[in-house]
Amino acid sequence: MVCLNSKCSKDFIAKTHNQKYCSDECCRISTNKRIMEKYYEKKAIKNGAPRKCKGCSGLLSRYNDQPYCARCNKLKQSKYKKDLMGIIDDIS
Ligand SMILES: [Zn+2]
Ligand SMILES: [Zn+2]
């Protein structure tokens, strides 16, 4: 196994099949890094970094913390409802 900590990338022998880091220290560093990345992402959103809707690629409002704009969210919801109705129709 190669340690997933990019600063380390050391070859090591995994003691368990899901071991991804050579040491607890590397695991801790990587977890911290992930937390920081999440933190900066949230901060960027708050600062008004432009984000695009995953549905229509229109710009998202900085107050919208979802990947879709309000319109696409509504669209998705109504589609979901329709699917649900379809299922109910199939049953009855
Ligand atoms: Zn390591
Ligand atoms: Zn949209």
Side-chain angles (χ1 to χ4, degrees):
M1 276 292 293
V2 175
C3 180
L4 279 191
N5 176 9
S6 52
K7 290 230 175 75
C8 172
S9 300
K10 202 160 75 182
D11 258 320
F12 70 98
I13 293 157
K15 289 188 199 101
T16 57
H17 69 279
N18 58 358
Q19 192 182 348
K20 296 183 180 76
Y21 305 98
C22 70
S23 63
D24 285 350
E25 181 65 10
C26 279
C27 183
R28 199 180 58 82
I29 289 168
S30 290
T31 307
N32 277 351
K33 211 176 112 190
R34 261 208 309 274
I35 290 168
M36 285 317 272
E37 273 166 8
K38 267 256 154 70
Y39 170 76
Y40 281 120
E41 200 183 297
K42 275 205 174 142
K43 212 169 145 181
I45 291 171
K46 272 217 180 93
N47 286 340
R51 288 178 312 136
K52 279 183 177 171
C53 169
K54 278 190 181 168
C56 65
S57 56
L59 277 182
L60 290 178
S61 153
R62 59 191 285 192
Y63 303 109
N64 183 355
D65 57 1
Q66 274 165 25
Y68 295 96
C69 69
R71 204 166 54 97
C72 287
N73 256 335
K74 226 180 206 163
L75 224 68
K76 268 198 331 173
Q77 252 161 31
S78 65
K79 188 186 176 302
Y80 174 73
K81 251 188 210 151
K82 237 183 242 160
D83 286 351
L84 215 64
M85 291 311 240
I87 291 165
I88 292 166
D89 271 353
D90 281 350
I91 296 167
S92 53

